[in-house]
């Protein structure tokens, strides 16, 4: 905590020095959303380069003066929380003065900027992100406050903990981990007792684009158990994008890639080639929108796709057919096809990329 306090004090000291010299104070931070500041490393995923281009939040420019003031406001809130050893969610910060902040996304963005500027993970700033992910299957652990959590014996999923770094005594006999894109598919597999039926496994869903805690948990489980990690996504550009976030990270959070990415992740399904192989009826396939085409084209250009020739082929199939399918398309073959035929066959015969 002293490191965090010192980092904030240094920022404020710079502001005071500028004022003392009669200059307009400026905050300098790395340009997080610029692909030129990102390098791709096989072992880490997307990460920020050491000497990247920066942007300035100036106090004397009408366009950025508000952001400058709000950044100092949130820095002061963080400082108080670290001093008093209290925590708040991003939502709490927004609701402390909704008129001042204007929207939740403004708060989220500033918090990520602060984390990047101070080079301190969000958790150490005493800011908790709200969790939306679920975990189920062969896993038990103890939370930071001593609460024992057992995911094994419940037919319902457990919410991903809000302090992943604080969990300890992780125990599992799982043979693999399965990341499921959507909540509906996750619940369906849970109802079919998939976690125990085939062999013990851990299932996780971020319910769409994963939040920070879900990504941290996937990484922690992989670090702890070193078991294979598979993804089950829709066969569409959005599903591929989500899988890439788990595996390689995102541009906006590349400064924290070391704690968040799991480059060992394998693409289990739904593969575009599966749609042809399994003769999925045409009427359950969905035509691409313009947005899908643009998303796919942007994914195909990313640096990590070039080192995944098998993925390239699958994306090419999707690009040529201009058709996408949800995981639910498999129910057109039979109601339990996903859990009793598709996944067991894939896992047994190595049908992943």
């Amino acid at each position: 905590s002293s490191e965090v306090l010192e980092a904030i004090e240094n920022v404020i000291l710079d502001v005071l020095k500028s004022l003392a010299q009669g200059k307009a104070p400026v905050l300098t931070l790395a340009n997080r959303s610029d692909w030129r500041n990102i390098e791709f490393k096989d072992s880490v995923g997307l990460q920020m380069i050491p000497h990247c281009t920066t942007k300035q939040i100036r106090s004397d420019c009408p366009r950025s003066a508000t952001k400058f003031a709000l950044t100092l406001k949130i820095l002061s809130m963080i400082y108080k929380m670290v001093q008093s050893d209290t925590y708040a969610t991003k939502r709490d910060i927004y609701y402390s003065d909704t008129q001042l902040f204007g929207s939740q996304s403004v708060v989220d963005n500033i918090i990520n900027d602060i984390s990047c500027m101070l080079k301190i993970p969000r958790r150490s700033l005493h800011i908790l992100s709200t969790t939306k992910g679920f975990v189920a299957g062969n896993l038990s652990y103890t939370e930071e406050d001593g609460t024992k959590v057992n995911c094994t014996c419940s037919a319902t999923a457990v919410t991903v903990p809000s302090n992943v770094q604080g969990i300890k005594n992780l125990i599992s006999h799982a043979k693999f981990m399965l990341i499921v894109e959507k909540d509906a598919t996750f619940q369906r597999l849970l109802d079919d007792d998939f976690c125990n039926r085939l062999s013990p496994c851990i299932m996780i869903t971020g319910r769409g684009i994963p939040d920070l805690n879900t990504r941290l948990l996937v990484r922690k489980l992989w670090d702890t158990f070193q078991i294979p990690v598979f993804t089950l996504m829709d066969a569409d550009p959005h599903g591929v994008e989500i899988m890439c976030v788990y595996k390689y990270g995102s541009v906006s959070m590349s400064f924290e890639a070391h704690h968040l990415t799991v480059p060992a992740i394998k693409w289990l399904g739904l593969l575009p080639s599966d749609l042809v192989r399994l003769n999925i009826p045409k009427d359950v396939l969905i035509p691409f929108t313009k947005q899908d085409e643009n998303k796919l084209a942007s994914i195909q250009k990313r640096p990590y796709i070039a080192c995944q020739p098998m993925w390239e082929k699958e994306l090419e199939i999707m690009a040529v057919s201009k058709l996408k399918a949800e995981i639910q398309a498999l129910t057109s073959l039979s109601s339990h096809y996903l859990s009793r035929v598709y996944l067991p066959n894939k896992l047994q015969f190595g049908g992943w990329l």
Side-chain angles (χ1 to χ4, degrees):
S1 63
S2 59
E3 183 196 337
V4 180
L5 296 176
E6 192 182 332
I8 295 173
E9 285 160 10
N10 287 337
V11 171
I12 303 305
L13 207 57
D14 284 342
V15 169
L16 292 174
K17 276 180 191 161
S18 299
L19 291 171
Q21 293 164 1
K23 293 179 189 162
V26 167
L27 298 172
T28 305
L29 41 106
N31 211 339
R32 284 188 298 122
S33 55
D34 190 340
W35 273 95
R36 287 170 302 182
N37 286 335
I38 311 295
E39 62 178 354
F40 168 63
K41 265 198 170 161
D42 251 358
S43 58
V44 184
L46 300 176
Q47 62 175 16
M48 208 164 231
I49 57 174
H51 307 292
C52 55
T53 59
T54 54
K55 58 180 178 180
Q56 292 189 325
I57 306 173
R58 301 189 61 86
S59 58
D60 61 349
C61 161
R63 269 219 326 261
S64 61
T66 308
K67 187 168 182 180
F68 181 89
L70 293 180
T71 304
L72 291 191
K73 166 77 176 166
I74 293 177
L75 276 170
S76 79
M77 294 171 84
I78 292 169
Y79 194 85
K80 281 177 192 149
M81 290 193 298
V82 175
Q83 268 187 324
S84 58
D85 198 24
T86 52
Y87 288 83
T89 62
K90 295 185 298 184
R91 213 169 161 68
D92 296 333
I93 291 175
Y94 168 59
Y95 279 108
S96 69
D97 199 332
T98 51
Q99 278 191 302
L100 176 71
F101 293 119
S103 78
Q104 181 71 59
S105 62
V106 167
V107 172
D108 296 358
N109 201 15
I110 289 175
I111 287 167
N112 283 344
D113 277 344
I114 288 173
S115 176
C116 184
M117 175 172 71
L118 302 179
K119 295 188 173 45
I120 289 168
R122 196 193 300 171
R123 169 76 205 171
S124 306
L125 301 175
H126 284 230
I127 294 170
L128 305 169
S129 46
T130 9
T131 295
K132 64 183 178 107
F134 288 135
V135 57
N138 195 297
L139 174 70
S140 62
Y141 55 85
T142 309
E143 290 200 349
E144 196 178 30
D145 62 1
T147 311
K148 287 185 167 51
V149 178
N150 189 352
C151 310
T152 312
C153 57
S154 61
T156 55
V158 172
T159 309
V160 167
S162 60
N163 174 15
V164 174
Q165 278 96 331
I167 64 174
K168 46 189 184 293
N169 307 332
L170 288 92
I171 298 166
S172 176
H173 303 292
K175 296 284 180 277
F176 63 92
M177 200 178 351
L178 182 67
I179 301 170
V180 182
E181 177 186 347
K182 291 206 290 231
D183 192 26
T185 310
F186 180 85
Q187 298 297 343
R188 182 68 203 257
L189 289 172
L190 211 55
D191 294 343
D192 279 356
D193 196 27
F194 178 75
C195 295
N196 303 308
R197 183 188 288 277
L198 195 61
S199 60
C201 74
I202 299 169
M203 275 200 324
I204 291 184
T205 181
R207 298 163 74 196
I209 293 173
D211 58 284
L212 201 63
N213 293 327
T214 304
R215 290 174 62 188
L216 283 167
L217 183 63
V218 170
R219 174 64 195 237
K220 182 154 192 146
L221 293 173
W222 183 67
D223 280 341
T224 309
F225 302 118
Q226 293 288 312
I227 50 177
V229 187
F230 301 111
T231 58
L232 180 62
M233 306 280 152
D234 287 342
D236 66 10
H238 189 63
V240 175
E241 171 91 285
I242 290 171
M243 172 170 62
C244 291
V245 168
Y246 282 108
K247 185 175 172 80
Y248 297 120
S250 59
V251 174
S252 63
M253 293 299 287
S254 57
F255 63 96
E256 271 203 62
H258 290 274
H259 317 287
L260 293 172
T261 57
V262 181
I265 282 174
K266 304 285 181 215
W267 186 4
L268 187 69
L270 188 61
L271 302 177
S273 59
D274 289 339
L275 306 179
V276 184
R277 189 174 58 84
L278 299 172
N279 277 327
I280 302 286
K282 277 279 191 286
D283 58 349
V284 296
L285 302 178
I286 308 159
F288 261 26
T289 61
K290 189 76 192 128
Q291 204 179 359
D292 289 326
E293 286 183 40
N294 295 341
K295 166 79 77 189
L296 182 58
S298 99
I299 293 171
Q300 286 176 303
K301 289 193 195 94
R302 290 186 194 166
Y304 45 68
I305 297 296
C307 65
Q308 289 279 5
M310 302 299 279
W311 284 31
E312 272 187 308
K313 275 185 192 158
E314 293 294 330
L315 299 184
E316 196 47 44
I317 292 172
M318 213 190 294
V320 170
S321 74
K322 292 192 176 172
L323 291 169
K324 56 184 182 176
E326 298 186 324
I327 298 160
Q328 287 84 333
L330 293 175
T331 51
S332 66
L333 302 174
S334 81
S335 58
H336 293 287
Y337 193 84
L338 174 67
S339 60
R340 297 192 187 170
V341 183
Y342 182 80
L343 289 174
N345 280 339
K346 284 257 172 179
L347 291 159
Q348 191 181 346
F349 300 113
W352 57 79
L353 306 178

